[in-house]
């Protein structure tokens, strides 16, 4: 079931780290989502939803890398997902030591994983 969500993105900043909270788009809303992601200079998206409602290609065309760290909605992420997440955070924020934005797209109904990296 696809749910359209009008919620605005939320930006969280901590030192040089930036986290963007945004709903997962659908094919119908992807072009608007890409505009928002570009506005915030997003370079990485971590997809955690098992179900996908959009193609990665429009994101790749504008230089946004996508990462698949999916796990069932409503469950805690498995250790492997947490480890991949922490490695990505380390690679983007610690190794590069730059203000490189990143985001994670929220599952349609997920409330448990509220914070996204950007």
């Amino acid at each position: 079931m696809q749910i359209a969500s009008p919620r605005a993105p939320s930006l969280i900043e901590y030192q040089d780290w930036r986290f963007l909270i945004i709903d997962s788009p659908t094919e119908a809303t992807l072009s608007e989502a890409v505009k928002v992601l570009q506005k915030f200079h997003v370079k990485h998206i971590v997809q955690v939803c098992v179900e996908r409602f959009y193609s990665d290609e429009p994101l790749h065309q504008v230089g946004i890398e996508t990462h698949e760290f999916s796990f069932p909605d409503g469950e805690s992420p498995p250790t492997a997902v947490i480890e991949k997440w922490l490695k990505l955070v380390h690679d983007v924020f610690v190794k590069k030591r730059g203000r490189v934005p990143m985001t994670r797209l929220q599952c349609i109904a997920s409330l448990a994983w509220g914070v996204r990296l950007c």
Side-chain angles (χ1 to χ4, degrees), residues 10-29:
S10 298
L11 180 65
I12 298 170
E13 296 182 88
Y14 172 75
Q15 297 176 1
D16 288 342
W17 297 22
R18 298 176 68 204
F19 302 84
L20 186 68
I21 300 171
I22 185 171
D23 286 333
S24 185
T26 64
E27 282 296 331
T29 62

Side-chain angles (χ1 to χ4, degrees), residues 96-113:
K96 294 186 180 176
R97 283 312 231 182
R99 197 172 167 92
V100 180
M102 173 188 286
T103 189
R104 186 186 106 191
L105 295 183
Q106 180 176 343
C107 285
I108 297 297
S110 174
L111 298 175
W113 267 60

Side-chain angles (χ1 to χ4, degrees), residues 17-117:
W17 297 22
R18 298 176 68 204
F19 302 84
L20 186 68
I21 300 171
I22 185 171
D23 286 333
S24 185
T26 64
E27 282 296 331
T29 62
L30 185 58
S31 63
E32 281 303 311
V34 168
K35 290 176 189 174
V36 170
L37 297 171
Q38 288 179 306
K39 175 183 173 185
F40 285 97
H41 308 287
V42 169
K43 300 295 180 199
H44 298 269
I45 291 179
V46 176
Q47 174 65 33
V48 298
C49 299
V50 174
E51 286 188 82
R52 301 284 309 270
F53 298 111
Y54 64 93
S55 166
D56 288 343
E57 189 54 35
L59 299 165
H60 295 163
Q61 288 176 353
V62 297
I64 298 173
E65 292 182 47
T66 56
H67 308 272
E68 185 71 32
F69 296 178
S70 62
F71 61 93
D73 191 33
E75 293 184 14
S76 296
T79 301
V81 168
I82 294 170
E83 289 171 354
K84 288 184 348 183
W85 177 257
L86 293 174
K87 181 182 181 330
L88 182 61
V89 169
H90 182 266
D91 291 349
V92 171
F93 291 112
V94 178
K95 279 186 178 177
K96 294 186 180 176
R97 283 312 231 182
R99 197 172 167 92
V100 180
M102 173 188 286
T103 189
R104 186 186 106 191
L105 295 183
Q106 180 176 343
C107 285
I108 297 297
S110 174
L111 298 175
W113 267 60
V115 177
R116 282 53 170 173
L117 291 177

